[in-house]
Amino acid sequence: MTERSTPAAWPNGSTFQLRRTRRAGDIVQSLRDQIARGELPRGSKLPSERALGEQFGVSGPTVREATRALAAMGLVESRHGEGTFVTARPEDALMGALATIAMLEGATIQEILDLFSLMLLGGIDSIIAHATDEDIEQLRSSARSILEAGERTELIPHAENFVLSLVRASHRPLLITLTTFLAHMLVALEQQLFPQSDEFWRDWAGRLDPQRAEITDAVAARQPRRLRTALTTYITKGLENLTALGIDPTIKLADPRLGPTMATVVDLTM
């Protein structure tokens, strides 16, 4: 039996293609990392083919191979006569993957709620340390908007935005991304499992208004223990409302009854 051929023994064309693919992979990794770090934000234009070729010391076909790979990942798109642009936010791929993993691993509504609570409470120190005056005003504005909303289509986004405004005040990108994903999922589940009337949602939101005010005041006063107490009460009351409605928290996200909701979650993250 002859030994397996090594790349050096392959035909010259095959060896050249292998090298080009490896170089293209280097470009893909570099640009993907820049997109993930926000150095190439959504909507930004990639350097020209010639510029990338000079930067990485490769030919035009190698650059085109790399950009095709990035396009297949949903990270960029080429526009005829204009160039190649970043089309995906760094968190998009993560959110889609998380939704899939949650279903494949048999996660339940209760587990999502528990993880959401851990994320909120885990961000307290960062929120207290990094919240700006603009962040605090955004919290107050979101709380007011909830009370002023007359219809559920207005109220629900404002209620979600209050929580996300709190987490954004931490200025921790990964925490913000993960919490945003969980919030999107919980809002979608709430809309499917809870009554749909405007009156119901106004009552739901009104019950938590004192806690929202206390959360905001605690952030403004830079008092972490006060914020933890207020946030814990906010979470506990929300869970009590869930239990009172008779919702089974052990329902798995992969349950066929939640199929449309989970599909919506993936859409919301895009």
Side-chain angles (χ1 to χ4, degrees):
M1 179 181 293
T2 60
E3 292 184 354
R4 194 172 187 176
S5 298
T6 64
W10 291 354
N12 290 337
S14 298
T15 303
F16 175 76
Q17 179 60 38
L18 177 61
R19 289 173 179 169
R20 190 173 79 182
T21 299
R22 286 175 175 170
R23 296 307 303 273
D26 292 339
I27 299 173
V28 169
Q29 181 175 344
S30 177
L31 294 178
R32 184 180 58 192
D33 290 346
Q34 291 179 60
I35 292 172
R37 292 194 298 267
E39 296 172 9
L40 287 172
R42 190 177 195 181
S44 63
K45 184 178 179 179
L46 294 187
S48 68
E49 179 181 304
R50 180 176 179 179
L52 287 173
E54 292 177 350
Q55 178 182 345
F56 290 94
V58 299
S59 63
T62 302
V63 174
R64 288 193 289 275
E65 184 174 333
T67 54
R68 282 195 296 268
L70 290 168
M73 297 176 190
L75 297 178
V76 303
E77 70 173 14
S78 295
R79 302 171 189 171
H80 183 67
E82 298 182 41
T84 303
F85 295 83
V86 177
T87 55
R89 294 173 299 174
E91 63 267 25
D92 285 350
L94 175 60
M95 288 182 168
L98 286 173
T100 302
I101 291 171
M103 290 187 285
L104 291 177
E105 293 298 325
T108 65
I109 292 176
Q110 184 64 60
E111 288 174 313
I112 296 300
L113 287 166
D114 290 344
L115 184 56
F116 185 63
S117 300
L118 285 173
M119 289 290 177
L120 290 177
L121 295 173
I124 287 175
D125 288 342
S126 293
I127 292 169
I128 292 297
H130 302 297
T132 65
D133 290 342
E134 290 77 11
D135 292 327
I136 296 169
E137 179 53 38
Q138 181 58 51
L139 279 172
R140 297 195 192 282
S141 176
S142 296
R144 288 195 300 269
S145 296
I146 294 170
L147 295 180
E148 294 169 359
E151 300 178 358
R152 59 184 295 277
T153 54
E154 299 174 345
L155 189 152
I156 295 172
H158 289 313
E160 180 181 9
N161 191 53
F162 175 82
V163 175
L164 295 183
S165 295
L166 177 65
V167 178
R168 291 185 191 114
S170 71
H171 295 272
R172 292 172 59 186
L174 186 57
L175 175 65
I176 294 168
T177 296
L178 293 173
T179 309
T180 298
F181 163 72
L182 294 170
H184 283 337
M185 180 177 291
L186 289 172
V187 166
L189 290 169
E190 286 174 350
Q191 292 186 75
Q192 175 175 340
L193 299 173
F194 293 3
Q196 301 292 305
S197 69
D198 294 339
E199 182 180 358
F200 166 82
W201 283 99
R202 284 195 296 269
D203 179 64
W204 173 277
R207 295 179 188 179
L208 296 175
D209 183 58
Q211 281 68 51
R212 291 191 194 91
E214 178 63 9
I215 287 170
T216 303
D217 290 343
V219 175
R222 310 288 177 178
Q223 296 176 331
R225 290 185 180 179
R226 181 181 175 186
L227 178 57
R228 180 172 296 276
T229 299
L231 198 50
T232 299
T233 302
Y234 180 83
I235 293 169
T236 301
K237 285 186 175 292
L239 293 177
E240 288 175 351
N241 289 343
L242 179 67
T243 303
L245 289 167
I247 302 301
D248 181 4
T250 65
I251 296 177
K252 293 185 177 181
L253 302 179
D255 190 298
R257 291 171 292 178
L258 298 181
T261 296
M262 295 309 298
T264 300
V265 168
V266 175
D267 287 339
L268 281 171
T269 64
M270 296 304 181

